[in-house]
Amino acid sequence: MSDENKSLDVLGIKPVADSVNTVTKGTVDGASAFLSRICLPAAEEFGFLLRDKVSAWRSKNAVAIANKAQKLLENQVQGLVLSAHPRIIYSSIENGSWAEDDFMQNLWAGLLASSCTPDGKDESNLILIGLLSQLTSSQAKIITHVCSIAKTYKSKSGFIACDFIQIEADELIQISGITDIHQLDRELDHLRGLELINEGFHPDHMRANVTPHALCLQLFVRAQGYVGSPIDYFGAVEKSPNK
């Protein structure tokens, strides 16, 4: 390595980055081809983004997300040609490429897949991309869990809703991986601030009201790669008068 390169590589990661770049080079073309198919107007720009605009580490993450999204679409649409708005793809890759763990990459892939429509003009997932970009992996695990166990129903007006959910602190620690109760409280407060859950912890006991709002349920559904209605995803029906 030249003296100039050494001075720039202050963290000593260039050899690692070069190694990762070599490993991922072959898969970048496949991911670029997929992004090109779902967004032809910006095909060249997305290929450039994957190759040159981000580090090898972020490029590897972006490629993983694109490949996961492709599999989700293939399993759902079975040959139907869909596309996504360029803003959606750019925002998904730009934000999602910071996610290294498989769990978060799956959520980003789900949002990318569920953004694909027949005309490619739907920008509605930008709201959900903005939300996911503000979540820690622990917060994402919490809302994924509560939405998975939620007893959903269709409101009289036709909206998705669910019954009250309350979880003890010990269980939330296992779900989130956070052992510091004060940090866990902050995480729940943040989810409440984003209007994703109801209240969080009550000051007088160690149970938390983590009932997901409709926005949270919709984020969960779209992050699974589902392109339809949350009502259909959950199979939600309107409550009978005696329930």
Side-chain angles (χ1 to χ4, degrees), residues 23-38:
V23 172
T24 60
K25 185 178 185 300
T27 58
V28 167
D29 289 339
S32 296
F34 166 65
L35 296 179
S36 298
R37 285 199 304 275
I38 66 173

Side-chain angles (χ1 to χ4, degrees), residues 27-163:
T27 58
V28 167
D29 289 339
S32 296
F34 166 65
L35 296 179
S36 298
R37 285 199 304 275
I38 66 173
C39 190
L40 186 59
E44 183 177 351
E45 285 80 1
F46 290 128
F48 181 65
L49 173 69
L50 286 177
R51 289 185 178 86
D52 302 312
K53 294 287 282 186
V54 296
S55 70
W57 178 76
R58 288 183 67 194
S59 179
K60 179 183 177 182
N61 297 335
V63 167
I65 291 168
N67 289 337
K68 290 173 184 289
Q70 182 176 12
K71 290 179 181 178
L72 285 171
L73 277 178
E74 288 174 348
N75 291 336
Q76 274 199 78
V77 301
Q78 299 178 349
L80 182 65
V81 178
L82 300 177
S83 58
H85 194 283
R87 288 183 67 195
I88 293 285
I89 297 183
Y90 182 84
S91 295
S92 298
I93 296 301
E94 176 67 17
N95 290 285
S97 61
W98 293 103
E100 185 177 25
D101 64 285
D102 197 57
F103 175 78
M104 291 300 293
Q105 287 180 359
N106 285 335
L107 299 182
W108 281 111
L111 285 185
L112 179 56
S114 62
S115 300
C116 295
T117 60
D119 64 9
K121 296 181 179 180
D122 186 0
E123 300 178 75
S124 61
N125 266 14
L126 282 172
I127 299 170
L128 306 180
I129 289 169
L131 285 172
L132 184 57
S133 69
Q134 297 179 69
L135 299 185
T136 65
S137 59
S138 296
Q139 291 169 0
K141 289 175 182 176
I142 291 171
I143 66 170
T144 296
H145 176 78
V146 299
C147 290
S148 296
I149 66 171
K151 294 180 179 179
T152 56
Y153 62 90
K154 183 171 69 172
S155 71
K156 290 183 178 180
S157 300
F159 297 110
I160 189 68
C162 74
D163 291 340

